[in-house]
Each structure stands twice: as structure tokens, then as C-alpha cells.
């Protein structure tokens, strides 16, 4: 039987297990990336593991999420990251150089290689045939030390693209269509592999918009085969020698198939406040828009900003609307500036931001109260823009620019009819991506050779071995699709404490209930209850570290998002699955006791755990965990376990099986 492209790359990197969907596999990692707000813990944990040098082919540290440095804490984090990259041998991308996914795509993404990144949108270079996966910081530290990365072998789904996109429809609309059909949990445990005749009609930047936002489906990754377009893109980046031809076998068998006829795609938007609330723009036409932002790791490339610039040429942004361009990388800003497009957009009324995540997580450009913001981003979770009860629509650059011109949501086709002289901008790549490279410091040019820690930089927390009893109050009962933005918000007032768990934990679940952290401390711990897809969104391990710090011992949920579940294991919190009925019956404030000796049951491979509620009724909760994950729980988390293993191994470097 032939192999899918995903299977081929996994096979090449397999160090443990078999490529059977649902089974845990260990793979070798070629490249790692970390960004500023997860990176500090990555390096603090690398330090705690007493590792002294990066072992992967390449490691890159970016400073991208919070580059405005409102506070010395952010600046200290960036200085610490530069010192860690220098000390241990990673590339360092300076603050303002751009968003990790964009800069990695431009400089390092390589077909056929594996990439592990401490950011959920790490799958972006799947558009170039790289198998890229997002994970928690500790998994990055271990992989960077030479350890394997463990993940459940995903089901590989064939997304067959047919036809060609019509004018005004874009790659963003393709991934929004996927979200419309499959929902934010439709991709859990899956890799989406794009095939079919439609693939060759899409440029690499269009493909990376699709793979980037595969994360919103909950997917483990998304990938395209490579072809002339990939080779051409790499050549324009001056990296043609990294091209490798990759495709699935003709008789590859897929777990499932989704067919998308590109010629039927039309301009879409995701309505507030979930990326899968997708409708045609025409359904919401007329909605007044006060803010438009073109940018982010999804649509912040040169090829995304250019269409908006062309649409605005000789026109003006509507008087009641503010338009901001937040480029995904300095390379994009630099080329647009050299070509004169920046001046053109400024003349139309656009304001420019530095190349940063910024507004995507509510840092700057917070929308006005009771207003609509149209963004080319990938997430519109409630409150993420920096104001509660926000109203953020996700859209393509074309739909965003049309909204800026009209001051209201409008299908660009209708706007073109109305204006008469508005042409579909299409997709255009620059002849060469000739931005300067001054903002990337190579390991050989490192500025520092020892760690520099400011006063806000704490240490990596090490858990305690699992105990026999788990009993406590249900401190919070939550609904479906709780995001990591609910668990640990990423707005600037909170983000600056990412290196200081004691302080950060004060904000735990504040977006659901701002009394939670104090109640958890007062109760000396307890358990959490949630509906489906608990922990979707970000890879931030802080969403497990902080509850652990507050004494949370178990989370009972109908289902979990992949990265967050791995983070719960990594920090010694037991993730138990409950059925719909148990979820319905259990109430906040109830007392929950796991009837068995938990430590023993986890160690002996028990999957069913009886839970006793209020000493009154019982239900069964399931632990779906591999032997390795059970070992992590028993030890009190992956940091403690890995440290112990290194000590036994005596090598100081991570063995392949952790
Ligand atoms: C996000 O988009 O939510 C983030 C901020 O990039 C996160 C990373 C983080 O929380 O630091 C992600 O996607 O993993
Ligand atoms: Fe940055 Fe937003 Fe992309 Fe996350 S989703 S990496 S915050 S631009």
C-alpha cells in the first residue's frame, strides 16, 4: 500500500512506535522554533534539564508577540532570549523582525523536514511541504536537547482541491470554508493533506495561509506536496538548493476525504466570536465597521498586503473607519516600502504597525466599545482583541480592504460593481524577497555567552509525584470550546508575567470567573469540569502550569484539545474524559473524589476511574494515556521525569525515548 506524504515524512523520522492512527509515535525533530512569550519557559526548562547545547539541526528564537516593550519585563524577556539563543546555539530574530511563522517560512522552512514549535500556528510551513507541529514549551526544550517528540499518530485526511479560485475569492476563504464544514474541533487527531489539481493553482503564500489556519480546526498539522511553485518560492527567497520534490504515492490511502471545488469558493467571513462561525460576506453586508486590520501570521505577508494596497490605490479609507496594516515580517514591510506601496497606503489613510503579533492578542489597536473590527487574523475568540464583548470578524485581505473603503462589510464583488473601476487584485509575488537580514543573529555571531536574567524572570516549576488521593471541589464548571485565552489570557497586562508563574497564576481562568484563582488558593486546590474541546487554541503551557501552581489535580472534560492535553500531562494534571450525562449532572461546588488509588491506577494502566460526587452518586471517567504519559503523571510532570532520566542515563543529553 502506498503512503501519504505525511506518512512518508513521519516514516523518515520515526524513532518509536508504528504509523497506526491513534497509536503514540516518537519522531526525530530537525528544526525547532520558539517565540518570545513561550520561549522564556522553553529556555528556563532547557536550563533546568542541565542541557548545554542545542542538538537539533536548527533552532530559532523569535521576538514577535510583544515587541512594543511597554514594560521592562518584556524587554528583559527579550534580552534573556537573546542570551539563551547565544549561550545554547540558536538563531535569534530581534524584536520587530516579524512573527515567528512568517520569518521561519522566509528563512528556514524546508520541505521534508520536521519542525516543532512552541506556538500553535507552527504548521504554517506545511505550505512548503514541511511537517510542522505545535507543542508546549517543555516538549520543545526536550526536542531541542535531542529527545524525540511524542504524538498520537494522526489520521491523514485528503483534502482534494479541484478547479481554480475565481476573482475575489482567496486562500483565506478556502480555510474558512473548511472551518464552516468541519468546525473548530473537526481536525482533532488529524493531519489535512492537500492534493488534487487545484494545488498547482495556489502559490506558496496562499498555501501557507491555509496550513496556518488548519490550527483553528484543531488539526495536528496540515501539509501540501511540493512542486514548481515551491521551488520558485524558495528560489525567490534565495534558498533554491533546499527544494525537495515531495508527493504522496498514487495509491496512498487516506482515512477520509474532503473535496473542495475552488471555483465555487466565494468571499466568506467568520462572525464573532469563533473561527468556525463562517458565512458568506453577503449575509452580513451593511454591518458598520470601525476598524480594519490587515496582518498576522495568517495574512500578513507581502502577498496579502499587496492586494489591499492595490485596492486602496487612489482611494481613501472611509471616514468612520480606521485601517491598520500589521505586516507579518520586516521583509514584507521592507519590500512594500521599497516598491512605494507603503506611501500609497499611507496616502489612503492607513496606519502602519511594526511587524508583530500585537493586535491579534489585544496588544494595541484594541477596538472601541460596541464596535465591529474586521481582521485578516485566524482567531476571534471573545475578548482576545483586548476588550470584553468584542465583535471581531475574520476575513481575507480583499474583504478587509473592501470594508475599509466602504466603512461597512461588503462583498468585494458588490463593491466592484458599485465603484465600476475596482479590479480584482489577484496574487503577486515579488521578483525577489530581497529584504535585509540584519535582524537575524546567527549562532556564530552570538552577542552573549551566558544567560542574562532580569528581576521578573523566575524559574521553571518542578511538580511533585502523583498522590494516591485526588479529592476536591469542582472549582469551575465550564462550557464547550474553552480556549487557552480563557485559561490564561494573553493581553499585555498579563503577558508580561509569562516568565513568572506565581504572578501569572493570579490571572488563571479570569476570563471565565475572576474569583477563580483566589478560590483555588483558598481551597488548596480542587478539580475543573469542562465540556468538549477543552483548551483549544494556543500552545501556551502556562494554561497547565498555572492551574497546577494553584493546586488543580484533575480536569474532567468531555474532550480535550491536543496540545493542551499534552501540556496537562507535562505538568502532572490528570486529564479525565467524562460523558455527556456526567457532564450534565455534575455542578460547580460539588465535591469530587476519585475512588481508586490514583497513583497506583495510573501506573498499572487502568483506563476507567470511578468518581464519587458529593458522596452520593458515582460515574466513570476515562484516562486515555500512553504508557509514557502515565509515567509523566506518576513522576509529577515531564520536567521532573526527564531530569531523573538524564541523571540515570548520565549523558546530560536527552535520550531518544525521553
Ligand atoms: C496565539 O495565537 O494564541 C498565540 C499567542 O500565538 C499562542 C502562543 C502563546 O500563547 O504565547 C499560540 O498560538 O500558541
Ligand atoms: Fe501571533 Fe496571532 Fe499568529 Fe498567534 S495567531 S502567532 S498571536 S499573529
Amino acid at each position: 500500500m502506498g503512503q501519504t506524504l505525511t506518512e512518508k515524512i513521519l516514516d523518515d523520522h520515526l524513532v518509536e512506535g508504528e504509523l497506526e492512527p491513534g497509536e503514540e509515535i516518537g519522531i526525530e525533530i530537525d528544526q525547532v522554533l520558539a517565540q518570545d512569550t513561550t520561549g522564556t519557559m522553553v529556555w528556563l526548562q532547557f536550563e533546568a534539564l542541565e542541557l548545554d547545547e542545542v542538538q537539533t539541526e536548527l533552532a530559532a528564537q523569535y521576538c514577535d508577540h510583544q515587541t512594543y516593550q511597554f514594560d521592562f519585563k518584556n524587554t528583559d524577556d527579550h534580552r534573556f532570549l537573546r542570551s539563551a539563543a547565544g549561550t545554547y546555539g540558536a538563531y535569534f530574530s530581534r524584536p520587530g523582525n516579524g512573527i515567528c511563522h512568517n520569518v521561519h517560512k522566509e528563512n528556514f522552512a524546508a520541505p521534508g523536514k520536521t519542525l516543532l514549535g512552541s506556538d500553535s500556528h507552527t504548521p504554517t510551513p506545511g505550505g512548503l511541504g514541511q511537517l510542522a507541529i505545535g507543542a508546549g514549551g517543555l516538549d520543545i526544550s526536550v526536542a531541542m536537547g535531542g529527545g524525540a517528540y511524542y504524538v498520537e499518530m494522526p489520521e491523514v485526511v485528503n483534502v482534494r482541491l479541484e478547479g481554480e479560485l475565481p476573482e475575489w475569492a482567496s486562500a483565506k476563504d478556502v480555510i474558512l470554508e473548511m472551518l464552516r464544514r468541519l468546525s473548530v474541533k473537526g481536525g482533532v487527531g488529524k493531519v489535512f493533506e492537500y492534493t488534487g489539481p487545484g494545488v498547482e493553482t495556489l502559490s506558496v503564500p496562499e498555501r501557507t495561509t491555509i496550513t496556518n489556519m488548519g490550527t483553528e480546526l484543531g488539526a495536528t498539522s496540515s501539509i501540501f506536496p511540493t512542486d514548481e511553485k515551491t521551488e520558485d518560492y524558495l528560489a525567490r527567497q534565495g534558498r533554491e538548493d533546499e527544494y525537495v520534490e515531495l508527493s504522496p504515492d498514487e495509491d496512498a490511502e487516506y482515512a477520509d476525504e474532503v473535496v473542495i471545488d475552488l471555483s465555487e469558493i466565494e468571499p466568506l467571513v467568520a462572525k464573532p466570536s469563533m473561527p468556525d462561525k463562517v458565512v458568506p460576506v453577503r449575509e452580513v453586508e451593511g454591518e458598520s465597521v470601525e476598524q480594519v486590520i490587515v496582518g498576522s501570521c495568517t495574512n500578513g505577508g507581502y502577498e496579502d498586503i499587496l492586494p489591499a494596497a492595490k485596492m486602496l490605490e487612489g482611494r481613501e479609507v472611509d471616514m468612520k473607519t480606521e485601517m491598520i496594516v500589521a505586516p507579518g515580517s520586516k521583509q514584507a514591510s521592507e519590500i512594500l516600502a521599497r516598491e512605494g506601496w507603503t506611501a500609497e497606503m499611507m496616502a489612503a489613510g492607513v496606519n502602519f504597525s511594526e511587524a508583530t503579533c500585537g493586535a491579534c492578542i489585544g496588544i494595541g489597536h484594541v477596538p472601541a466599545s460596541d464596535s465591529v473590527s474586521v481582521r485578516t487574523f485566524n482567531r476571534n475568540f471573545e475578548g482576545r482583541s483586548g476588550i470584553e464583548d468584542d465583535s471581531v470578524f475574520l476575513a481575507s485581505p480583499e474583504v478587509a480592504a473592501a470594508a475599509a473603503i466602504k466603512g461597512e462589510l461588503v462583498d468585494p464583488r458588490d463593491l466592484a460593481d458599485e465603484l465600476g473601476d475596482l479590479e480584482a487584485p489577484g496574487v503577486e509575488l515579488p521578483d525577489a524577497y530581497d529584504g535585509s537580514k540584519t535582524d537575524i543573529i546567527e549562532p556564530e555571531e552570538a552577542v552573549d555567552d551566558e544567560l542574562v536574567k532580569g528581576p521578573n524572570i523566575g524559574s521553571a516549576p518542578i511538580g511533585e509525584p502523583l498522590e494516591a488521593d485526588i479529592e476536591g471541589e469542582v472549582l469551575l464548571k465550564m462550557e464547550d470550546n474553552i480556549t487557552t485565552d480563557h485559561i490564561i489570557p494573553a493581553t499585555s497586562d498579563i503577558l508580561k508575567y509569562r516568565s513568572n508563574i506565581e504572578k501569572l497564576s493570579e490571572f488563571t481562568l479570569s476570563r471565565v470567573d475572576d474569583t477563580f484563582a483566589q478560590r483555588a488558593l483558598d481551597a488548596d486546590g480542587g478539580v475543573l469540569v469542562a465540556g468538549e474541546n477543552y483548551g483549544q487554541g494556543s500552545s501556551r503551557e502556562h494554561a497547565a502550569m498555572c492551574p497546577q501552581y494553584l493546586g488543580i489535580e484533575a480536569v474532567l472534560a468531555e474532550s480535550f484539545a491536543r496540545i493542551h492535553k499534552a501540556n496537562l500531562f507535562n505538568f502532572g494534571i490528570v486529564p479525565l474524559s467524562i460523558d455527556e450525562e456526567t457532564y450534565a449532572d455534575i455542578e460547580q461546588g460539588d465535591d469530587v473524589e476519585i475512588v481508586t488509588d490514583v497513583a497506583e491506577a495510573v501506573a498499572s494502566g487502568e483506563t476507567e476511574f470511578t468518581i464519587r460526587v458529593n458522596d452520593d452518586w458515582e460515574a466513570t471517567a476515562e484516562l486515555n494515556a500512553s504508557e509514557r504519559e502515565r509515567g509523566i503523571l506518576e513522576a509529577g510532570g515531564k520536567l521532573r521525569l526527564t531530569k531523573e532520566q538524564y541523571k540515570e542515563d548520565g549523558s546530560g543529553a536527552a535520550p531518544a525515548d525521553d
Side-chain angles (χ1 to χ4, degrees):
M1 190 182 78
Q3 285 187 310
T4 64
L5 175 53
T6 308
E7 286 166 339
K8 286 186 184 183
I9 302 178
L10 287 174
D11 220 2
D12 276 353
H13 291 83
L14 198 67
V15 293
E16 215 177 301
E18 281 176 34
L19 303 182
E20 282 297 317
E23 295 291 309
E24 189 175 80
I25 52 168
I27 53 169
E28 194 189 335
I29 296 299
D30 301 321
Q31 303 186 342
V32 300
L33 73 76
Q35 41 91 334
D36 49 358
T37 54
T38 53
T40 50
M41 274 300 154
V42 167
W43 293 110
L44 288 171
Q45 291 171 133
F46 196 81
E47 182 193 24
L49 289 169
E50 296 172 50
L51 293 163
D52 45 40
E53 203 179 4
V54 166
Q55 301 291 321
T56 45
E57 283 173 22
L58 180 137
Q61 173 61 58
Y62 299 93
C63 291
D64 50 356
H65 280 62
Q66 171 34 318
T67 65
Y68 299 117
Q69 305 173 326
F70 295 135
D71 185 301
F72 77 89
K73 299 183 189 69
N74 299 123
T75 329
D76 279 9
D77 276 355
H78 293 156
R79 187 179 55 187
F80 169 68
L81 294 172
R82 190 190 67 193
S83 74
T87 307
Y88 297 121
Y91 284 83
F92 181 69
S93 172
R94 299 203 280 192
N97 190 37
I99 303 172
C100 53
H101 311 301
N102 301 59
V103 183
H104 202 85
K105 170 173 83 176
E106 293 161 0
N107 292 279
F108 305 118
K113 302 271 183 198
T114 51
L115 165 69
L116 194 70
S118 59
D119 192 280
S120 65
H121 291 99
T122 299
T124 308
L128 278 121
Q130 176 157 41
L131 189 67
I133 302 177
L138 182 49
D139 287 331
I140 309 303
S141 322
V142 171
M144 206 154 58
Y149 173 61
Y150 291 86
V151 63
E152 195 175 282
M153 175 62 199
E155 286 188 340
V156 186
V157 177
N158 182 8
V159 186
R160 201 180 147 74
L161 301 179
E162 287 170 357
E164 199 168 340
L165 284 171
E167 280 191 346
W168 295 111
S170 72
K172 180 61 156 275
D173 301 310
V174 176
I175 189 65
L176 288 175
E177 172 63 14
M178 287 285 284
L179 278 150
R180 190 186 69 77
R181 291 195 201 176
L182 304 176
S183 91
V184 289
K185 45 183 194 294
V188 178
K190 296 179 181 160
V191 168
F192 291 104
E193 199 169 299
Y194 290 81
T195 68
V199 166
E200 65 180 37
T201 68
L202 299 172
S203 64
V204 164
E206 290 170 286
R207 295 176 193 179
T208 56
T209 291
I210 295 172
T211 47
N212 170 283
M213 217 173 152
T215 297
E216 276 45 69
L217 293 159
T220 304
S221 194
S222 303
I223 193 164
F224 277 76
T226 61
D227 56 13
E228 281 163 20
K229 291 253 164 77
T230 325
E231 194 171 9
D232 173 64
Y233 175 84
L234 285 168
R236 288 175 204 240
Q237 291 285 5
R239 301 198 287 123
E240 57 272 41
D241 50 339
E242 290 175 44
Y243 177 69
V244 182
E245 199 180 314
L246 295 170
S247 58
D249 288 330
E250 268 177 25
D251 57 344
E253 272 187 30
Y254 290 92
D256 206 352
E257 185 177 72
V258 178
V259 179
I260 294 193
D261 183 350
L262 296 175
S263 62
E264 282 176 10
I265 297 286
E266 59 173 324
L268 301 169
V269 282
K271 295 199 295 181
S273 291
M274 212 34 91
D276 60 2
K277 292 181 79 178
V278 176
V279 296
V281 184
R282 281 190 174 143
E283 242 178 61
V284 283
E285 252 177 1
E287 180 88 55
S288 178
V289 173
E290 282 190 33
Q291 185 192 59
V292 168
I293 312 184
V294 174
S296 89
C297 60
T298 318
N299 282 116
Y302 168 91
E303 313 75 13
D304 302 299
I305 301 169
L306 186 61
K310 287 182 180 168
M311 288 171 68
L312 283 162
E313 198 176 4
R315 297 194 168 80
E316 280 179 15
V317 172
D318 185 83
M319 287 301 152
K320 64 177 173 308
T321 310
E322 254 188 87
M323 178 165 173
I324 299 112
V325 167
S329 71
K330 219 184 219 182
Q331 184 188 77
S333 325
E334 203 180 317
I335 304 173
L336 287 161
R338 287 190 203 284
E339 291 182 352
W341 288 109
T342 306
E344 205 59 65
M345 283 186 277
M346 283 179 161
V350 170
N351 287 322
F352 272 78
S353 145
E354 52 183 73
T356 181
C357 295
C360 183
I361 38 174
I363 301 175
H365 304 298
V366 175
S369 52
D370 262 335
S371 73
V372 166
S373 175
V374 177
R375 300 170 166 211
T376 65
F377 302 176
N378 48 37
R379 290 184 172 148
N380 58 349
F381 302 145
E382 195 183 349
R384 183 174 161 99
S385 68
I387 176 170
E388 299 304 320
D389 301 323
D390 51 7
S391 198
V392 175
F393 287 72
L394 305 175
S396 67
E398 289 81 353
V399 171
I405 294 167
K406 178 96 172 154
E408 57 190 48
L409 273 166
V410 58
D411 186 311
R413 294 170 298 182
D414 297 335
L415 186 67
D417 284 348
E418 186 184 322
L419 299 180
D421 59 350
L422 180 66
E423 288 189 8
V427 177
E428 201 185 313
L429 273 58
D431 293 337
Y433 291 93
D434 52 1
S436 50
K437 303 268 184 210
T438 38
D439 280 308
I440 294 186
I441 304 179
E442 298 189 8
E444 302 72 47
E445 317 170 310
V447 182
D448 322 85
D449 57 8
E450 61 181 38
L451 299 180
V452 183
K453 293 182 184 173
N456 184 48
I457 297 185
S459 51
I462 301 191
E464 292 300 322
L466 190 63
E467 292 184 358
D469 309 316
I470 292 189
E471 184 182 0
E473 186 186 332
V474 175
L475 290 165
L476 208 54
K477 179 176 175 182
M478 295 165 275
E479 56 205 30
D480 290 349
N481 294 324
I482 288 293
T483 71
T484 41
D485 278 343
H486 289 103
I487 309 173
I488 284 292
T491 42
S492 64
D493 48 333
I494 303 177
L495 200 63
K496 62 190 178 196
Y497 297 117
R498 284 284 181 95
S499 324
N500 182 340
I501 299 305
E502 184 181 347
K503 182 72 192 162
L504 189 69
S505 63
E506 289 174 17
F507 301 93
T508 311
L509 284 160
S510 55
R511 200 161 272 160
V512 183
D513 174 352
D514 59 12
T515 67
F516 172 78
Q518 194 53 50
R519 287 194 294 111
L521 280 176
D522 294 346
D524 202 11
V527 302
L528 296 172
V529 170
E532 286 195 60
N533 202 22
Y534 179 69
Q536 69 156 328
S538 153
S539 64
R540 64 191 76 135
E541 59 192 340
H542 306 77
M545 279 175 159
C546 292
Q548 184 234 24
Y549 180 84
L550 296 175
I552 298 300
E553 292 176 292
V555 179
L556 278 63
E558 283 184 76
S559 65
F560 295 88
R562 178 186 67 87
I563 307 179
H564 187 59
K565 188 173 175 194
N567 285 335
L568 290 173
F569 282 122
N570 284 354
F571 292 93
I573 298 180
V574 188
L576 291 169
S577 306
I578 50 171
D579 61 20
E580 220 181 311
E581 210 184 317
T582 310
Y583 172 78
D585 291 345
I586 214 159
E587 295 298 341
Q588 187 162 318
D590 283 354
D591 184 67
V592 169
E593 182 193 357
I594 300 181
V595 180
T596 28
D597 176 324
V598 185
E600 204 183 287
V602 167
S604 65
E606 203 66 64
T607 51
E608 298 201 338
F609 288 69
T610 305
I611 55 168
R612 206 168 157 66
V613 183
N614 293 335
D615 226 355
D616 178 26
W617 57 276
E618 288 184 353
T620 304
E622 271 183 38
L623 177 66
N624 300 310
S626 67
E627 215 181 303
R628 187 189 58 88
E629 288 165 333
R630 288 170 185 272
I632 292 175
L633 279 183
E634 263 187 279
K638 182 162 171 162
L639 191 54
R640 179 181 285 276
L641 179 69
T642 314
K643 268 175 97 63
E644 281 166 11
Q645 286 174 336
Y646 287 2
K647 222 178 274 164
E648 274 168 35
D649 178 58
S651 66
D657 65 350
D658 267 24

